[in-house]
Amino acid sequence: MKKVLFFILAATILFGSCGFVFSDSVSATEGDNRVILTEPGEYVLRPQWFNSAARSWISLETSLTAKLSRQYSPNLLWLEKEVPSLSPGDRLLIVDGSDPKNQIEVFEINRIFGSQLLETKKALKNNYEPGSDIKFFLKKYYGYYPDMGADVDLGYFEAGEELVFSHLSRWSSRFNKTGHKVFGPNYSTDSRYYKITQLSPTSWQFDFDEGTKFDGGYNDGSFIVERKFVVIESGTMEIKKSYDTPEPSLVIGGVHDVTLAIFDVSALNEEMILDRIKLTGITGDESVFSPNDIDMLYLYDEDGNMIASRAINKISATFWNLGDRPNKFSVPDGEVRKLYVKADLSRVGSLQPGVSGHKIGYKIARAEDFSSRGRISGAGIEVIGFGGEAPVGSIFTMVKGMPVVLERYAFVPAADSVDASDLMLYRKLYRFDVSADPRGGNIGLYKVMFRPDTGAASATDFYLYDITFGDRRKVSQRERMDDDGLVSLYFNYEDWQMGEERIMVGETRTYELLGSVSSMKGFSVAMLGDGEEALVYPGNAEMIDSSGARFIWSDMSQNIPDVHSTSTFDWYNGYQVPGLPATSTSAVFTD
């Protein structure tokens, strides 16, 4: 596994009596003279120089986010959450609100019970209201002069947290009863004592006056706070084909938001952001694909948010700068998110860009075809597929329109029969609907096939009738079972000289199979579909029929101008027709 190294700057505080404060603020107004951290990480304070004449007392004050939940007695305080960093002997500063200048009192921790219940060494002067706006600051002292050049680690901070420093000064020529006169604390929020300069997005310089003789020169001390350099391993983004990817199917030209592929995208070691992805059109033996078949290509996340869109002028399409877009695609560490590839399809037909029979589909050919970056590291490792296998979406066949088949029933009581003109008894054996999908165009029908199982009965002639409008219209010639026990019925009755049955877009026709059967006992019948494509597609009706097709239909995409027949090359078999069984094993039996 390759490693990408990057550096984080950590935070430390302290220089000459410096105190650090963390507040709830997540933004700062101009001139506020305070630092809002924009990047999470470990921070460090790095002393730069110090005026030895201004003896400063180093103090670090770190805000605790836990407020007071309950005060049991003057010596017992219960914090709203655990604070593992506290230890007996630590001194806590109680302030009003989030500004450490608003001091109320300081106490020393005697004992800690479970990191939430604190016992103070001495009774507190005040009783505090639970849930009030008081805040605790951990107060530590570091002596007079820090070791110049020695970094002081401040610990980890989240983005949006606030840094405020303070210092206390001891001027050697002035004394109080304890031997020194103490000035301060002076806080970095006070521009009279501090000047702050941002050196980089994660680095700031603090220059200050020690305050005993304020001259506005900020010439008594300087330190830098920055995110510390640490070496970590970058995160990994892996893309696989999702099991939710739609199955291959017929798709109608002109339809929008067609899902072509779904990929499972996972992240490891840190949150990962997708920056770039190249989708390669599937071609060659698997597919005939033209960029004209697609009007627009899209990327969506699993919540339905569009990440990016683009028109295409070749079958491969690359989406750039995804991580800089408003709806960026990111995956939290250890989780999986779905990435959808969708398309608006071009219209199919004469004088239209889309081509009937073309197959469209996309894959991610190799790991180099996408790039990612970690939220923290800024770098990424890319992995594809199961063991390096390219994630491939499904392949879809473009058509102008398509039939939808619905079985109405396949159970016929023995008494349910029709008298034919030749006085033979014809029984109703099977009823089904065929619709022309309303999203597409008109369709043509040429052939349907059935497998009767007569049992002990005898069966001779079979006909197909259109009963859509209540009357019966014969739409096939009389046919008998072939040597394989199958019945093929062609829509070539004498009233239809073109040898096809046309169904207008959005229209539904109901057909009924009738047969001369001596007995219904043990009789069954199945309507048959096709389990694979014809060897040549699309072709004329005779070519498709010669390939052994059981159901033959046309999307009428070569209707130029409004002339269509069984000789035009826009006929298909029943493969992927909605509602048809894939193979003859999906028979429906009557009783």
Side-chain angles (χ1 to χ4, degrees), residues 312-553:
I312 64 171
N313 54 17
K314 53 184 180 180
I315 61 173
S316 295
T318 301
F319 293 87
W320 301 90
N321 303 318
L322 298 176
D324 300 327
R325 303 188 183 219
N327 289 331
K328 65 182 65 176
F329 185 83
S330 63
V331 183
D333 181 18
E335 298 188 20
V336 179
R337 293 289 186 270
K338 294 189 184 299
L339 177 66
Y340 288 74
V341 179
K342 297 189 177 187
D344 293 344
L345 305 182
S346 302
R347 292 187 176 276
V348 172
S350 59
L351 305 179
Q352 298 294 338
V355 178
S356 179
H358 273 196
K359 293 187 175 296
I360 57 176
Y362 281 101
K363 64 182 179 181
I364 302 172
R366 52 185 186 163
E368 290 78 9
D369 284 350
F370 73 99
S371 60
S372 61
R373 56 184 164 92
R375 185 180 71 88
I376 298 176
S377 68
I381 301 171
E382 289 76 38
V383 179
I384 63 168
F386 298 91
E389 180 183 351
V392 180
S394 294
I395 301 175
F396 301 87
T397 304
M398 292 269 289
V399 291
K400 182 181 180 182
M402 67 179 174
V404 178
V405 178
L406 175 65
E407 174 207 3
R408 294 290 293 276
Y409 67 71
F411 173 79
V412 184
D416 193 357
S417 61
V418 177
D419 289 328
S421 58
D422 56 5
L423 302 181
M424 292 183 63
L425 187 63
Y426 282 81
R427 300 180 187 275
K428 300 176 183 179
L429 304 178
Y430 196 92
R431 182 180 292 179
F432 63 97
D433 291 345
V434 180
S435 302
D437 193 305
R439 299 172 299 170
N442 303 336
I443 63 169
L445 298 179
Y446 180 73
K447 174 185 177 180
V448 291
M449 181 181 284
F450 296 90
R451 172 180 284 141
D453 186 351
T454 61
S458 62
T460 54
D461 302 334
F462 296 87
Y463 287 93
L464 196 64
Y465 282 83
D466 179 358
I467 61 168
T468 304
F469 303 106
D471 58 347
R472 295 184 178 278
R473 179 174 64 89
K474 189 183 295 185
V475 293
S476 77
Q477 298 283 6
R478 182 182 65 183
E479 299 290 349
R480 295 189 174 187
M481 287 190 291
D482 60 21
D483 293 340
D484 296 323
L486 305 178
V487 176
S488 298
L489 295 166
Y490 295 86
F491 292 88
N492 59 357
Y493 191 59
E494 57 266 27
D495 291 343
W496 292 85
Q497 299 177 4
M498 291 179 293
E500 65 177 340
E501 172 88 335
R502 292 188 181 181
I503 302 178
M504 302 298 106
V505 60
E507 185 180 53
T508 298
R509 294 287 182 87
T510 301
Y511 299 100
E512 200 167 64
L513 174 67
L514 271 66
S516 57
V517 181
S518 61
S519 171
M520 293 300 295
K521 185 176 181 180
F523 183 87
S524 66
V525 64
M527 184 177 182
L528 305 184
D530 293 288
E532 59 184 13
E533 292 170 324
L535 295 177
V536 178
Y537 66 89
N540 62 40
E542 185 177 348
M543 292 170 58
I544 302 300
D545 194 22
S546 66
S547 69
R550 294 160 169 167
F551 184 93
I552 302 176
W553 66 281

Side-chain angles (χ1 to χ4, degrees), residues 179-210:
H180 293 87
K181 184 173 179 60
V182 177
F183 294 87
N186 299 314
Y187 287 90
S188 63
T189 54
D190 190 336
S191 61
R192 293 180 303 165
Y193 296 102
Y194 277 86
K195 178 180 69 174
I196 301 176
T197 305
Q198 185 164 10
L199 306 178
S200 76
T202 56
S203 179
W204 298 265
Q205 180 167 326
F206 289 74
D207 300 310
F208 66 88
D209 268 327
E210 53 87 21

Side-chain angles (χ1 to χ4, degrees), residues 21-26 34 63 98 135 160-164:
V21 176
F22 213 161
S23 87
D24 293 331
S25 174
V26 293
R34 62 187 66 205
S63 171
S98 61
K135 203 164 189 178
E161 292 179 336
E162 182 178 326
L163 300 183
V164 179

Side-chain angles (χ1 to χ4, degrees), residues 88-399:
D90 285 345
R91 293 168 59 85
L92 291 185
L93 172 66
I94 299 178
V95 303
D96 182 8
S98 61
D99 194 335
K101 290 185 290 186
N102 301 326
Q103 300 179 21
I104 301 175
E105 62 178 303
V106 179
F107 67 88
E108 184 176 344
I109 299 175
N110 186 42
R111 288 187 297 175
I112 301 176
F113 307 92
S115 299
Q116 275 181 276
L117 182 60
L118 309 181
E119 180 186 66
T120 64
K121 202 163 190 178
K122 296 181 180 180
L124 296 175
K125 299 176 182 178
N126 300 288
N127 290 321
Y128 297 101
E129 185 71 22
S132 63
D133 200 31
I134 66 167
K135 203 164 189 178
F136 298 91
F137 287 80
L138 179 62
K139 190 176 185 68
K140 294 188 177 181
Y141 299 92
Y142 289 85
Y144 292 111
Y145 299 108
D147 181 7
M148 303 310 294
D151 294 345
V152 182
D153 286 329
L154 301 179
Y156 182 86
F157 298 101
E158 295 285 353
E161 292 179 336
E162 182 178 326
L163 300 183
V164 179
F165 294 88
S166 69
H167 67 273
L168 297 170
S169 299
R170 290 183 175 187
W171 191 34
S172 59
S173 61
R174 293 191 181 186
F175 301 92
N176 58 13
K177 292 181 180 180
T178 62
H180 293 87
K181 184 173 179 60
V182 177
F183 294 87
N186 299 314
Y187 287 90
S188 63
T189 54
D190 190 336
S191 61
R192 293 180 303 165
Y193 296 102
Y194 277 86
K195 178 180 69 174
I196 301 176
T197 305
Q198 185 164 10
L199 306 178
S200 76
T202 56
S203 179
W204 298 265
Q205 180 167 326
F206 289 74
D207 300 310
F208 66 88
D209 268 327
E210 53 87 21
T212 57
K213 186 180 179 182
F214 170 72
D215 57 17
Y218 310 104
N219 53 8
D220 290 321
S222 178
F223 58 89
I224 290 175
V225 175
E226 58 188 0
R227 205 168 62 172
K228 185 167 59 176
F229 285 105
V230 296
V231 179
I232 69 168
E233 180 181 334
S234 61
T236 298
M237 176 176 281
E238 182 176 19
I239 301 183
K240 300 178 181 179
K241 178 181 177 179
S242 173
Y243 289 110
D244 294 329
T245 295
E247 293 296 322
S249 66
L250 303 173
V251 289
I252 296 175
V255 174
H256 291 183
D257 291 330
V258 176
T259 299
L260 302 180
I262 305 176
F263 299 116
D264 285 337
V265 186
S266 59
L268 183 64
N269 293 334
E270 62 175 319
E271 180 181 345
M272 298 300 294
I273 300 169
L274 181 65
D275 271 331
R276 172 188 61 88
I277 189 169
K278 178 182 178 181
L279 301 174
T280 300
I282 303 172
T283 58
D285 294 337
E286 300 169 293
S287 174
V288 179
F289 184 11
S290 165
N292 293 328
D293 295 329
I294 291 180
D295 280 342
M296 191 70 69
L297 199 60
Y298 303 92
L299 296 177
Y300 279 83
D301 65 21
E302 61 187 39
D303 295 322
N305 300 309
M306 188 179 73
I307 301 164
S309 64
R310 59 159 297 169
I312 64 171
N313 54 17
K314 53 184 180 180
I315 61 173
S316 295
T318 301
F319 293 87
W320 301 90
N321 303 318
L322 298 176
D324 300 327
R325 303 188 183 219
N327 289 331
K328 65 182 65 176
F329 185 83
S330 63
V331 183
D333 181 18
E335 298 188 20
V336 179
R337 293 289 186 270
K338 294 189 184 299
L339 177 66
Y340 288 74
V341 179
K342 297 189 177 187
D344 293 344
L345 305 182
S346 302
R347 292 187 176 276
V348 172
S350 59
L351 305 179
Q352 298 294 338
V355 178
S356 179
H358 273 196
K359 293 187 175 296
I360 57 176
Y362 281 101
K363 64 182 179 181
I364 302 172
R366 52 185 186 163
E368 290 78 9
D369 284 350
F370 73 99
S371 60
S372 61
R373 56 184 164 92
R375 185 180 71 88
I376 298 176
S377 68
I381 301 171
E382 289 76 38
V383 179
I384 63 168
F386 298 91
E389 180 183 351
V392 180
S394 294
I395 301 175
F396 301 87
T397 304
M398 292 269 289
V399 291

